[in-house]
């Protein structure tokens, strides 16, 4: 197993803040702590924090008022690295990270023919964490035509970020089917629940702006640790 390449620190921070805002942990209109105090609490340089705050501001979730401070704004449908990542800790939020179990190029399973034109696909299996808490297993399939070889070191914590910046593939919409399923037979010993144990399950088709299927995935998540959350509302 190997960890994927981490996203830049300022993006990790901005994504953490956006998920905290979405979860309601940072109330609309509330003032963030002073930047130096906040940077010390997070263990980062002030410059890194300011880049993160600028990113959050650019997405419309922060008002930065000179001489006064940084104020939270709530908005739906923000263009975030994790905009389509629906799992959250039971208390809400949580920064997603991943640990890859395997990346293999294989013949696509039956029923995956719509996923591009190549008879083979890249199968990615990985563990998912929220704030360091292990919450889920994932199996993701990507069409083999997207790239001949994908190595663990190519991937970032966010596959959609990798798709956009490395493959030029932009995910514009997803369709999720939520239910329950038994953990697969490849469930590793490092997961805290055994293969065959019934858990929450998400079957997803990710599509491009042209409505073409670009990715199929399955996620098995521990409902005692995480919940599937989809927030909707008018801006």
């Amino acid at each position: 197993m190997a960890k994927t390449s981490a996203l830049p620190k300022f993006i990790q921070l901005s994504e953490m803040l956006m998920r905290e805002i979405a979860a309601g942990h940072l109330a609309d209109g509330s003032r963030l702590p002073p930047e130096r105090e906040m940077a010390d609490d997070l263990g980062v340089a002030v410059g890194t924090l300011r880049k993160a705050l600028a990113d959050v501001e650019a997405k419309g979730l922060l008002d930065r008022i000179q001489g006064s401070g940084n104020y939270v704004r709530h908005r739906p449908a923000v263009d975030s690295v994790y905009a389509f990542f629906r799992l959250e800790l039971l208390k809400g939020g949580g920064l997603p990270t991943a640990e890859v179990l395997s990346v293999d190029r294989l013949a696509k399973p039956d029923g995956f023919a719509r996923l591009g034109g190549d008879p083979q696909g890249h199968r990615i299996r990985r563990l998912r964490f929220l704030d360091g808490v292990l919450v889920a297993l994932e199996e993701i399939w990507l069409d083999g035509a997207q790239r001949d070889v994908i190595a663990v070191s190519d991937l970032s914590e966010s596959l959609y970020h990798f798709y956009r910046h490395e493959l030029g593939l932009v995910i514009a919409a997803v369709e999720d089917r939520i239910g329950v399923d038994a953990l697969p037979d490849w469930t590793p010993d490092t997961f805290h629940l055994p293969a065959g144990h019934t858990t929450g399950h998400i079957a997803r088709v990710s599509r491009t702006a042209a409505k073409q299927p670009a990715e199929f995935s399955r996620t098995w998540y521990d409902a005692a640790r995480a919940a599937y959350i989809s927030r909707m509302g008018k801006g």
Side-chain angles (χ1 to χ4, degrees), residues 90 192-193 221-227:
L90 297 183
H192 56 286
L193 299 173
Y221 67 94
D222 182 357
R225 295 187 176 188

Side-chain angles (χ1 to χ4, degrees), residues 126-230:
R126 61 184 189 167
L127 302 173
R128 268 296 199 173
F129 302 80
L130 288 170
D131 283 352
V133 177
L134 181 55
V135 298
L137 294 178
E138 291 180 325
E139 181 174 287
I140 304 107
W141 284 85
L142 184 68
D143 186 52
Q146 294 293 339
R147 180 181 280 189
D148 288 340
V149 177
I150 295 178
V152 172
S153 58
D154 295 328
L155 304 176
S156 69
E157 300 282 10
S158 166
L159 286 184
Y160 289 179
H161 185 270
F162 165 73
Y163 296 164
R164 179 190 292 261
H165 294 280
E166 298 297 327
L167 305 181
L169 176 63
V170 178
I171 302 300
V174 300
E175 174 187 303
D176 287 345
R177 298 191 179 192
I178 314 302
V180 296
D181 192 37
L183 283 167
D185 57 10
W186 53 267
T187 300
D189 292 339
T190 50
F191 200 64
H192 56 286
L193 299 173
H197 185 91
T198 300
T199 65
H201 180 257
I202 308 162
R204 168 173 287 188
V205 179
S206 303
R207 301 181 185 277
T208 66
K211 300 184 179 180
Q212 295 301 309
E215 175 204 64
F216 289 162
S217 68
R218 300 182 70 190
T219 300
W220 295 263
Y221 67 94
D222 182 357
R225 295 187 176 188
Y228 179 94
I229 304 291
S230 180

Side-chain angles (χ1 to χ4, degrees), residues 77-136:
V78 174
D79 183 19
S80 157
V81 168
Y82 294 111
F84 292 119
F85 188 77
R86 306 298 192 200
L87 290 182
E88 296 187 8
L89 294 170
L90 297 183
K91 65 179 182 179
L95 181 67
T97 54
E99 187 172 319
V100 173
L101 300 171
S102 62
V103 182
D104 298 292
R105 186 182 177 100
L106 303 166
K108 292 175 189 170
D110 292 341
F112 277 43
R114 293 182 300 121
L115 183 62
D118 197 297
Q120 292 191 326
H122 300 286
R123 186 191 67 190
I124 302 165
R125 288 175 172 172
R126 61 184 189 167
L127 302 173
R128 268 296 199 173
F129 302 80
L130 288 170
D131 283 352
V133 177
L134 181 55
V135 298

